[in-house]
Amino acid sequence: MKPITKEVYLKWYEDMQFWRKFEDKLAALYIQQKVRGFLHLYNGQEAVLAGALHAMDLSKDKIITAYRNHVQPIGMGVDPKRVMAELLGKGTGTSQGLGGSMHIFSKEHGFYGGHGIVGGQIPLGAGIAFGDKYFNTGGVTLTYFGDGAARQGSLHETFNMAMNWKLPVVFICENNGYAMGTSVERTANHTDVWKLGLGYEMPCGPVDGMNPIKVAEAMYEAIERARRGDGPTFLEMKTYRYRGHSMSDAQHYRTKEEVEEYKKIDPITQVLEVIKEKDFATEAEIEAIDERVKNLVAECEKFAEDSPYPELNVMYDVVYEQENYPFLPHKL
């Protein structure tokens, strides 16, 4: 694995800080009714993405995930201004404003979407990996889902086929404790989700999802196993979300004290403490990073606010076209 250097720590801090502030801004815009529909935020889970990106080869590896999916494409290289524009339903968005919060997508950058159907992305991730194996691309697909989706039958069908065909896929359960609002303890007679892999003799195990180093190490081992042709791995990232399942979640299932306890092991704080302990940056340099993050979030907001909504005809262009039905002119 690439060494975890001073530069990596500084990049992790700036990236995770930006992802956090980006999501905070979206929460504010949602309250102003500028982001419509559902909004699922990633606050608290940033180490899962930061560690994975360090272990990946972005020239050929891919990610597919559920609907908590705004910051993953940004980490993979998508312009954050276009992501925010998509969330505001603007024509400059990643899908011309037609996908919205739950369906960010960028084939160019290897991000195969947020998916609104719970667990629906699990077989799709294996399918992408099948394509990589068939065409011998050397790519590995990281397939993310939550602890709630781990109860879907499609997971078991996919695990069985992925092991049988030794597909280059890594399955990652981001276990933030509550699915939509029901704790793991109340949905199964076991709390170790990773043990679901044992029934398929799939390498599996738990990972500290609040620490990007632990994530990077586990992900690298799993990715390299897949790339060698040895098949899939199932990792359970033990993480936590500070906000509700979505912005409409009243969070009656947990206490504020519990959330504050988890904030004591915040992934951003953990990285910042190492930066300070090892003198990787001065206070002034840290403040400069924070200022850059603040300015970039403001740029994203301005770009999204100033962008036009898509033209009405775009809605028809991407849905319906028939040669002998000339009454809907197409531009795309």
Side-chain angles (χ1 to χ4, degrees):
M1 187 175 72
K2 293 174 292 189
I4 299 174
T5 61
K6 165 187 169 179
E7 289 72 26
V8 170
Y9 271 102
L10 292 173
K11 179 172 171 50
W12 275 349
Y13 176 71
E14 186 162 350
D15 284 350
M16 291 196 293
Q17 188 78 312
F18 175 68
W19 301 336
R20 178 78 55 88
K21 299 302 180 185
F22 187 91
E23 297 284 62
D24 287 344
K25 176 56 67 177
L26 289 175
L29 292 170
Y30 183 90
I31 291 168
Q32 297 171 47
Q33 297 188 341
K34 292 178 178 178
V35 175
R36 302 301 183 95
F38 292 98
L39 184 68
H40 306 81
L41 302 175
Y42 206 63
N43 299 43
Q45 300 182 207
E46 294 89 352
V48 178
L49 176 58
L53 290 173
H54 185 75
M56 293 172 69
D57 180 344
L58 292 180
S59 70
K60 54 189 173 184
D61 294 340
K62 306 168 186 70
I63 285 179
I64 187 169
T65 188
Y67 37 72
R68 204 176 302 279
N69 69 322
H70 312 140
V71 299
Q72 293 92 337
I74 294 171
M76 296 184 76
V78 177
D79 185 342
K81 296 194 287 293
R82 293 192 64 211
V83 174
M84 190 165 284
E86 182 64 32
L87 281 143
L88 269 66
K90 299 300 184 74
T92 55
T94 50
S95 296
Q96 300 185 53
L98 301 175
S101 169
M102 299 170 75
H103 305 285
I104 310 296
F105 185 93
S106 175
K107 183 178 179 182
E108 177 191 357
H109 291 94
F111 183 71
Y112 282 79
H115 292 262
I117 301 300
V118 175
Q121 74 279 15
I122 300 172
L124 295 180
I128 296 168
F130 179 85
D132 279 328
K133 179 166 184 172
Y134 187 87
F135 292 108
N136 196 28
T137 68
V140 176
T141 301
L142 277 55
T143 301
Y144 288 86
F145 51 92
D147 45 289
R151 311 303 169 197
Q152 293 287 340
S154 58
L155 175 140
H156 296 276
E157 295 172 346
T158 303
F159 275 19
N160 182 59
M161 294 173 78
M163 281 299 291
N164 200 29
W165 293 338
K166 287 188 165 50
L167 298 182
V169 58
V170 182
F171 298 106
I172 305 110
C173 175
E174 292 183 283
N175 183 357
N176 57 28
Y178 289 102
M180 283 183 68
T182 305
S183 66
V184 173
E185 287 84 354
R186 296 178 62 197
T187 60
N189 67 343
H190 62 91
T191 56
D192 293 320
V193 177
W194 63 269
K195 290 182 179 178
L196 293 174
L198 296 174
Y200 303 92
E201 297 185 3
M202 184 186 299
C204 53
V207 182
D208 178 0
M210 302 298 273
N211 185 327
I213 298 174
K214 299 293 186 185
V215 173
E217 290 171 346
M219 289 297 295
Y220 180 77
E221 182 179 344
I223 289 169
E224 288 308 299
R225 167 184 159 78
R227 216 184 302 283
R228 288 194 307 269
D230 293 338
T233 301
F234 177 36
L235 300 174
E236 179 188 357
M237 300 287 170
K238 305 268 192 176
T239 184
Y240 197 81
R241 55 172 166 80
Y242 299 147
R243 292 184 176 271
H245 171 70
S246 71
M247 284 292 290
S248 57
D249 179 7
Q251 305 182 62
H252 293 313
Y253 46 83
R254 65 181 181 184
T255 64
K256 291 181 179 178
E257 290 74 22
E258 179 182 299
V259 178
E260 291 305 313
E261 276 299 306
Y262 272 96
K263 285 185 177 179
K264 292 177 182 177
I265 55 169
D266 187 300
I268 300 176
T269 304
Q270 288 192 54
V271 167
L272 183 57
E273 285 173 353
V274 173
I275 289 171
K276 289 181 176 179
E277 285 170 12
K278 298 195 175 184
D279 292 324
F280 286 162
T282 64
E283 286 295 336
E285 288 168 333
I286 293 168
E287 288 175 12
I289 292 173
D290 293 341
E291 189 66 19
R292 281 202 302 273
V293 164
K294 179 182 174 182
N295 291 338
L296 182 53
V297 171
E299 284 177 33
C300 293
E301 180 185 16
K302 185 177 189 309
F303 176 83
E305 293 268 23
D306 292 347
S307 293
Y309 287 102
E311 294 181 32
L312 186 61
N313 74 283
V314 172
M315 180 169 64
Y316 300 106
D317 285 353
V318 298
V319 175
Y320 184 84
E321 184 169 13
Q322 186 174 323
E323 286 185 12
N324 62 355
Y325 191 84
F327 309 104
L328 293 175
H330 287 257
K331 294 182 180 179
L332 296 183

